[in-house]
Amino acid sequence: MIHTEHWFFWLFVALYFLHLVVEISLDLLNLKELKRNQNRIPPLFAGRFSKTEYENSIRYTRSKIHFSWVKATFDVAVLWLAIMFGGFYYVDVWLGNLLPTYPLAHQVAYPLVIGGISLLLHLPFGIYFQFGLEEKFGFNRMSWGIFLTDQIKTIVIALILGIPLLALIFSLVQWLGAWWWLGAWGAMMLFQLMTAALFPVVLAPLFYKFTPLEPGELKDRIYQLAQKIRFKMAGIYTIDGSKRSAHSNAFFAGIGKTRRIVLFDTLVENLTHDQIVAVLAHEMGHNVKKHILKGLVISTVLSLAGFYLLSLCLNWPPFFSTFGVPTPSLQVGFVLFGLLSSVFTFPLNPFMKWLSRKNEYESDAFSVAVTKDKASMKEALVNLSKDNLSNLTPHPFYSFYHYSHPTTTERVTAIEAIPLAN
Ligand SMILES: [Zn+2]
């Protein structure tokens, strides 16, 4: 089934295993760095982390790396078995026999079936992560009931949103001929805008209970902050994140009229009001400094390039034969491209992460400039690493490649260096 005579196959194999080698090497460096530092708490955290908390953060980081290795081994095995034995092809053939008179249904069903198989195969990992690993370190607050209903809700939402989107995109290929990729890209962008707007009002409330932040000092201070920098929003909410996890977070959700601040109840419990205001000033900084807009522009351009490349791949038989599919087919091409394009784009990762870290520094500086309060931002960052048992000593290569945020030590050092004009 597998066709090894084309150069594209070998390019794929080379990049696939290069990516694996890069990831594993970085993990090994990180483990070495953990060991090197295991008996000395970094100066910034001394006195804030107890010995047990520090040891826990090391064990938690180690466990997560080992877990990711088991999962990666499984993924490598499944993917290569599927490629070697024509798994992607036979699922398509089977669906074609099942729905011979409904070509569009066949096309739409294919990504859903592949997604369903992947979901089933990964379910044991999800269960172990939540009820084994997270449980062991005191992060899991989820009952089995919540876990199962979350899975079911996710599947139902994926079907409700995914079926019309896939049907539209596959129809556009029929209607627009050679230019379908432009139409499909447009449809995808509209879809993403729609889900971003609906997320806080329709989707997230299916999982979390949204409660408007009660009137009081904290609410007044957040509104004052928003007014000071002319930040428009439609409310501040807390959600019951503690029903599922002890990790804490704060974010903005929605666009335009649905844009709101969302605070995890765990965050409100663990940070002082000064610290929460500092964190939210940082979040607003991402808006004021146009990071969100820039990110949107980058992802829009990348996805246009992606759809164009996909349109080329669909007409190029070696793209299919590399993955054990003897004859090109639209839906199989979509799935292979979605699953495997990251093998070709992974060298872009460090650059994207670097850009993201640059934005984080800018937002920290914005927060300090607005609140004139370095101490609260620094304390908030230290507290968040403590509550999340973050790795305090990642290897510099590891954080360079993987981290979307600078390490807490880097951020605190940068905050200390900000000149404050009073
Ligand atoms: Zn940020």
Side-chain angles (χ1 to χ4, degrees):
M1 203 70 202
I2 196 160
H3 291 256
T4 58
E5 63 271 18
H6 201 278
W7 60 265
F8 183 71
F9 174 80
W10 294 107
L11 177 69
F12 176 74
V13 171
L15 284 174
Y16 183 87
F17 287 100
L18 176 68
H19 186 195
L20 269 184
V21 168
V22 167
E23 297 270 351
I24 294 169
S25 314
L26 290 172
D27 284 347
L28 287 171
L29 283 176
N30 225 16
L31 286 175
K32 223 175 112 187
E33 195 69 11
L34 275 180
K35 196 165 182 169
R36 200 170 72 82
N37 288 293
Q38 67 185 356
N39 291 318
R40 44 166 182 185
I41 302 185
L44 173 64
F45 304 95
R48 285 146 156 156
F49 273 62
S50 71
K51 192 164 180 288
T52 324
E53 281 165 340
Y54 184 55
E55 281 165 5
N56 268 342
S57 79
I58 292 175
R59 287 197 303 132
Y60 184 51
T61 306
R62 235 180 236 148
S63 303
K64 281 198 294 187
I65 291 177
H66 292 154
F67 173 72
S68 76
W69 284 353
V70 176
K71 191 159 169 282
T73 309
F74 177 79
D75 283 343
V76 172
V78 169
L79 177 71
W80 285 96
L81 284 173
I83 290 176
M84 284 193 297
F85 294 101
F88 291 106
Y89 175 63
Y90 287 120
V91 172
D92 193 42
V93 172
W94 170 70
L95 277 173
N97 291 332
L98 206 66
L99 302 158
T101 45
Y102 304 99
L104 186 61
H106 168 192
Q107 287 173 331
V108 171
Y110 183 75
L112 297 177
V113 169
I114 297 286
I117 293 172
S118 164
L119 193 83
L120 273 181
L121 289 175
H122 287 109
L123 194 59
F125 292 96
I127 291 173
Y128 173 75
F129 182 76
Q130 197 62 35
F131 297 103
L133 210 158
E134 291 281 288
E135 178 82 41
K136 194 168 137 198
F137 290 93
F139 287 123
N140 178 42
R141 302 251 181 99
M142 218 186 256
S143 64
W144 277 92
I146 294 183
F147 182 84
L148 286 175
T149 45
D150 277 5
Q151 299 288 326
I152 293 166
K153 282 181 205 167
T154 309
I155 295 169
V156 172
I157 294 169
L159 293 175
I160 292 176
L161 295 175
I163 291 174
L165 179 70
L166 287 168
L168 175 64
I169 288 180
F170 289 133
S171 304
L172 285 172
V173 179
Q174 289 285 320
W175 300 334
L176 301 179
W179 292 96
W180 72 265
W181 54 276
L182 208 54
W185 168 76
M188 192 68 167
M189 292 299 105
L190 278 178
F191 174 79
Q192 281 178 352
L193 267 178
M194 189 190 81
T195 41
L198 291 182
F199 177 77
V201 279
V202 180
L203 301 178
L206 292 172
F207 297 89
Y208 293 103
K209 193 164 157 257
F210 279 65
T211 319
L213 185 63
E214 51 196 64
E217 192 234 340
L218 181 62
K219 191 174 178 179
D220 293 343
R221 289 189 55 193
I222 298 173
Y223 270 105
Q224 278 163 16
L225 173 72
Q227 218 164 27
K228 190 168 166 188
I229 58 172
R230 297 206 180 85
F231 182 88
K232 285 200 191 76
M233 57 180 185
I236 309 165
Y237 294 81
T238 56
I239 57 170
D240 52 346
S242 59
K243 251 170 85 184
R244 291 177 172 77
S245 159
H247 289 295
S248 51
N249 203 355
F251 60 91
F252 285 93
I255 43 175
K257 286 212 165 70
T258 70
R259 184 162 82 176
R260 59 198 57 201
I261 292 178
V262 182
L263 301 168
F264 277 55
D265 52 358
T266 38
L267 187 92
V268 181
E269 278 159 32
N270 297 337
L271 298 189
T272 65
H273 289 183
D274 283 333
Q275 291 167 5
I276 294 173
V277 169
V279 167
L280 290 178
H282 166 102
E283 293 303 327
M284 291 179 189
H286 283 309
N287 257 282
V288 176
K289 296 279 172 190
K290 306 230 180 313
H291 299 154
I292 296 178
L293 191 69
K294 284 178 201 162
L296 213 65
V297 171
I298 293 177
S299 73
T300 305
V301 171
L302 285 180
S303 97
L304 181 63
F307 272 110
Y308 177 66
L309 268 177
L310 170 59
S311 76
L312 297 182
C313 287
L314 290 178
N315 292 312
W316 196 53
F319 173 72
F320 290 89
S321 62
T322 286
F323 306 115
V325 179
T327 42
S329 110
L330 188 60
Q331 60 278 16
V332 179
F334 266 75
V335 164
L336 290 175
F337 192 85
L339 272 181
L340 303 168
S341 54
S342 68
V343 172
F344 296 89
T345 57
F346 84 89
L348 283 175
N349 281 354
F351 174 72
M352 301 301 278
K353 295 288 159 72
W354 169 80
L355 204 65
S356 163
R357 290 194 301 267
K358 190 172 149 290
N359 291 343
E360 294 304 325
Y361 282 127
E362 269 182 36
S363 268
D364 282 348
F366 178 83
S367 169
V368 169
V370 173
T371 59
K372 308 237 183 297
D373 181 4
K374 286 183 182 181
S376 297
M377 188 70 215
K378 290 193 289 189
E379 285 306 316
L381 290 171
V382 172
N383 279 342
L384 287 174
S385 359
K386 185 168 156 163
D387 294 340
N388 291 312
L389 288 179
S390 306
N391 180 9
L392 302 185
T393 60
H395 190 278
F397 289 172
Y398 187 93
S399 55
F400 174 78
Y401 182 90
H402 279 295
Y403 278 27
S404 60
H405 289 59
T407 65
T408 302
T409 307
E410 288 168 335
R411 289 175 77 177
V412 168
T413 312
I415 289 169
E416 278 165 356
I418 298 170
L420 249 194
N422 264 314

